[in-house]
Amino acid sequence: QVQLVESGGGLVQPGGSLRLSCAASGSIGSINTMGWYRQAPGKQRELVALITDGGNTNYADSVKGRFTISRDNAKNTVFLQMNSLKPEDTAVYYCNAHLTLRYHSDYICYWGQGTQVTVSS
């Protein structure tokens, strides 16, 4: 019914930049919060950044000042601009959205399939 499709991951050198995108499609009513999480090998999934439909944002301390989250509400798309990347940013990055299905009122959490980001020289 609903798909979240991420793109933009890849291999980048330390200090470089990447831009991730995540587009939600399907029978969507409304989207509240969208965000990005990441999971490195052997570690738990952690929050990277969140953005509400009103544009309020929240960042993990480890990425503040380097990453910027934004969204295009008309296209149900969320972005993550990642600058000054470090090797410790290496992880699978997952898109997340809290949304309602069309004609329904309960919010449901959906996840994308993940995109690999590798920061290495």
Side-chain angles (χ1 to χ4, degrees), residues 23-25 28-29 31 34 53 71-79:
S25 62
I28 297 171
I31 302 179
M34 300 187 81
D53 54 355
R71 65 192 277 178
D72 183 336
N73 290 332
K75 296 181 179 180
N76 291 335
T77 301
V78 63
F79 306 96

Side-chain angles (χ1 to χ4, degrees), residues 71-110:
R71 65 192 277 178
D72 183 336
N73 290 332
K75 296 181 179 180
N76 291 335
T77 301
V78 63
F79 306 96
L80 186 68
Q81 178 66 43
M82 304 185 293
N83 299 327
S84 302
L85 282 160
K86 304 175 181 180
E88 51 264 43
D89 294 317
T90 296
V92 177
Y93 283 69
Y94 296 92
C95 174
N96 172 273
H98 282 85
L99 56 85
T100 63
L101 299 177
R102 197 169 297 160
Y103 310 124
H104 291 74
S105 59
D106 294 333
Y107 279 89
I108 304 171
C109 180
Y110 281 87

